[in-house]
Amino acid sequence: MIMGSFGRYVVETTHDHGTHPARSRGRGRRGAGRNGTRQARSANRFASVKVADAVALAGHEVHVCRYREARTLLRWLGQDEDRDGDLSGLRVLDVAGGDGYWAGQARKRGARAVALDLATPKLSRGSQFARPPALIEGDALRLPFQDASFDRVMSICAIEHFDDGEKALDEMARVLTPGGELVMSADSLTLAEHWPNLYRAHCDRYHVKRTYSHQELTSLLAARGLAVLEYRYQFRSRRAQQMYLGLSAYGGKFGFNAAAPATPLVAASDRAARGDGGAIVLVRARREGPHEGPREGRHAANQGGTAHR
């Protein structure tokens, strides 16, 4: 991945390099053999890219949490009335975006999308996608971008893993343009005290530093000039939160994926639950522009969502 001036990213893959003219002039059997070999290699590379996309889709979307969670955040990215989900021309950053799968979904909707992560192996996997976003190795606590570089910032269940979540929020706010929006999710686990052993196992396994309620995030974001427009919880009922912690603590590497058939049941449970609280909180906030005052956030009327496991 090469990053030039911001907004112009060049992704180097094996498909991007043209064939040298001197190597395309083979004659007779020898030339045909070389062409055949090149065609076979190209076919193999194409197949590997398709496998990478399929594996990523299964890992990210066949998932009892992630599908609803990330899809909600993606929808919020294009929530403006004049956009109706279209992200064309918007500069979108996914902080701690892993292999870039969800930034890639934003790109499919027209965004100039960037995924940033510290994990080189994840970024390498993302570079094998058919249409990867720009993939940048970097630290969420020191974003390598100028102020006001992005129209939208997204972060999917990442902040709870950071050593300094407030510093990460500082950086996300810094790179947002005035009037730009942040959509994010975080572990909230508002009933965790009922299952202390499960909670400890969850935190140990996923290196969770702390959890966040919507009230805490609203306060933290307001201190950085962002007003919460809406929020919602997922895995809202007592039983759903216990299920979430149990899958996290003892479900193994693919527990959340294996539980994907339960997604409609969890969504129905979320809709029926009363009051605030849940295993995961989703927030949409806007950075105040030069002439904007604070806005009052609203609770999403229709609850539903997912998690970053």
Side-chain angles (χ1 to χ4, degrees):
M1 177 63 54
I2 296 176
M3 185 176 80
S5 59
F6 175 72
R8 183 175 182 178
Y9 293 86
V10 180
V11 180
E12 288 189 339
T13 69
T14 50
H15 315 304
D16 296 330
H17 303 294
T19 303
H20 193 282
R23 295 177 182 171
S24 61
R25 297 192 190 116
R27 297 175 181 173
R29 287 182 174 273
R30 189 172 180 179
R34 286 178 178 174
N35 288 335
T37 300
R38 281 196 295 272
Q39 290 170 1
R41 288 174 179 169
S42 296
N44 288 338
R45 287 196 296 267
F46 180 77
S48 68
V49 166
K50 292 302 180 184
V51 168
D53 287 323
V55 169
L57 184 148
H60 290 284
E61 302 213 37
V62 183
H63 195 291
V64 71
C65 304
R66 190 67 48 72
Y67 179 82
R68 295 172 59 228
E69 175 189 15
R71 288 287 169 183
T72 298
L73 297 181
L74 276 174
R75 186 170 67 253
W76 283 353
L77 287 177
Q79 193 81 351
D80 290 351
E81 293 180 2
D82 58 343
R83 286 195 167 271
D84 193 26
D86 180 25
L87 303 179
S88 295
L90 290 180
R91 299 164 298 172
V92 175
L93 171 65
D94 187 3
V95 176
D99 59 13
Y101 179 83
W102 293 110
Q105 299 308 301
R107 183 186 177 192
K108 289 179 180 178
R109 289 161 171 75
R112 294 158 59 192
V114 181
L116 175 137
D117 203 278
L118 274 176
T120 303
K122 291 181 180 180
L123 296 171
S124 296
R125 287 199 301 270
S127 69
Q128 301 303 311
F129 296 162
R131 295 188 63 201
L135 299 166
I136 304 297
E137 184 174 349
D139 189 346
L141 306 188
R142 292 180 294 275
L143 294 176
F145 306 108
Q146 295 180 352
D147 296 355
S149 294
F150 293 92
D151 306 296
R152 300 286 188 274
V153 173
M154 175 169 62
S155 182
I156 304 173
C157 262
I159 189 173
E160 64 267 29
H161 307 291
F162 298 152
D163 291 331
D164 189 345
E166 294 189 23
K167 175 62 175 173
L169 290 177
D170 288 340
E171 286 291 280
M172 293 184 212
R174 179 183 65 79
V175 301
L176 261 180
T177 59
E181 293 188 9
L182 166 67
V183 300
M184 64 177 294
S185 57
D187 271 359
S188 49
L189 296 167
T190 54
L191 296 177
E193 70 273 9
H194 294 288
W195 312 284
N197 292 335
L198 287 179
Y199 178 68
R200 281 193 297 271
H202 165 75
C203 291
D204 290 344
R205 182 178 179 192
Y206 288 106
H207 309 288
V208 174
K209 308 296 184 181
R210 62 165 291 186
T211 58
Y212 297 83
S213 67
H214 79 275
Q215 295 99 329
E216 290 171 315
L217 287 174
T218 297
S219 177
L220 289 168
L221 291 169
R224 291 156 177 81
L226 282 86
V228 170
L229 304 178
E230 58 184 309
Y231 70 92
R232 67 175 58 185
Y233 284 92
Q234 296 179 350
F235 288 79
R236 297 178 62 205
S237 71
R238 181 186 176 108
R239 181 173 295 181
Q241 288 196 52
Q242 184 178 20
M243 170 190 173
Y244 177 87
L245 281 173
L247 286 171
S248 176
Y250 303 119
K253 185 175 182 180
F254 302 108
F256 283 106
N257 304 96
T263 301
L265 297 177
V266 176
S269 172
D270 283 352
R271 289 191 294 270
R274 296 182 178 182
D276 278 335
I280 304 163
V281 63
L282 290 71
V283 169
R284 175 186 170 215
R286 179 174 297 154
R287 182 179 174 188
E288 296 167 8
H291 304 297
E292 288 184 304
R295 298 171 180 237
E296 183 178 353
R298 66 182 180 86
H299 187 190
N302 183 22
Q303 292 280 345
T306 320
H308 187 42
R309 303 283 168 248

